[in-house]
């Protein structure tokens, strides 16, 4: 089945492929958000475990799918070879850092508000927080498809599809993490779902933009891959992991992280 999927993606325009792949990641976010139609509450232990899993997938994807290919395709030896990855990684982290300090958003625990002070409702701020997480994820998928279009040997359709599958898997609990708290606040099931799935709409946008940018500016591919990796690692360390430490479920969250890392590493090595 995986071979059939790869054959299909190889037969279509890479930008269109990036769009379809990121629509898949959005769909799994929406699928997770749909749980609000069946449940009103999510056990905090389960939520922390799923968020830990999300962090593990993002860290593994950052190395296996993004940083390693970025270093491999860079020219030169020694320190020269790693410069594009190092610069891109730093720029990606600083990009999310800047957004984090300027874009108003609310953490899942509803206790910490960051960014410029805003009169926006807490529901909007929560959705913006998850949207912030999804920008580098969509960008990562799009950049890989753009690398394929540019004819870069280290970029493959299989690798891009595998990354989309991994990100889609970890998007599922993210959809739950948005819709369930909104439902507990008294919002209707329908509105909770709509807000939950809307948080991932940015992924197809970032995916297409990433693919187009790399196609027109081939030399930036190593920087772009590392940029996406730096952005994802910043999100994991600054947002995802601290969120799992709010209660007394640190062991569950850690095991979830390990599980997510193993799943993404296995997918990337076995399929990508």
């Amino acid at each position: 089945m995986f071979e059939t999927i790869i054959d299909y993606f190889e037969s279509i325009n890479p930008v269109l492929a990036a769009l379809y792949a990121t629509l898949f990641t959005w769909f799994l976010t929406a699928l997770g958000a749909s749980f609000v139609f069946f449940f009103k509450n999510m056990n905090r232990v389960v939520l922390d475990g799923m968020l830990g899993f999300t962090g593990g997938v993002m860290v593994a994807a950052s190395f296996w799918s993004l940083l390693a290919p970025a270093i491999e395709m860079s020219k030169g030896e020694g320190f020269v070879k790693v410069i594009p990855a190092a610069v891109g990684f730093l720029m990606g982290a600083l990009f999310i850092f800047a957004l984090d300090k300027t874009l108003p958003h609310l953490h899942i625990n509803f206790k910490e508000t960051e960014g410029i002070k805003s009169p926006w409702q807490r529901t909007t701020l929560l959705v913006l927080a998850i949207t912030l997480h999804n920008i580098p994820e969509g960008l990562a998928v799009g950049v890989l498809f753009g690398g394929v279009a540019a004819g870069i040997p280290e970029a493959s359709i299989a690798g891009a599809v595998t990354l989309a599958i991994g990100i889609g898997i970890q998007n599922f609990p993210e959809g739950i993490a948005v819709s369930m708290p909104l439902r507990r606040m008294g919002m209707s099931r329908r509105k909770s779902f709509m807000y939950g799935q809307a948080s991932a709409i940015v992924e197809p946008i970032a995916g297409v933009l990433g693919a187009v940018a790399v196609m027109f500016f081939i030399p930036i591919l190593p920087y772009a891959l590392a940029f996406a990796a730096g952005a994802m690692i910043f999100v994991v360390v600054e947002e995802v992991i601290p969120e799992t430490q709010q209660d007394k479920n640190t062991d569950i969250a850690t095991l979830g992280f390990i599980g997510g890392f193993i799943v993404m590493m296995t997918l990337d090595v076995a399929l990508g």
Side-chain angles (χ1 to χ4, degrees), residues 220-244:
I220 72 168
L221 182 56
Y223 295 91
L225 289 172
F227 181 96
M232 287 208 289
I233 292 296
F234 185 93
V235 167
V236 172
V237 176
E238 205 275 338
E239 299 263 0
V240 177
I241 292 178
E243 199 64 55
T244 66

Side-chain angles (χ1 to χ4, degrees), residues 105-116:
H105 62 284
L106 179 69
H107 288 229
I108 296 171
N109 58 28
F110 292 99
K111 298 176 182 177
E112 300 174 54
T113 302
E114 292 187 334
I116 297 173

Side-chain angles (χ1 to χ4, degrees), residues 10 24 30 55 66 73 93 102 107 113 127 173 248:
E10 287 178 341
F24 166 77
L66 301 172
M73 69 180 61
T102 55
H107 288 229
T113 302
V127 174
K248 298 179 180 180

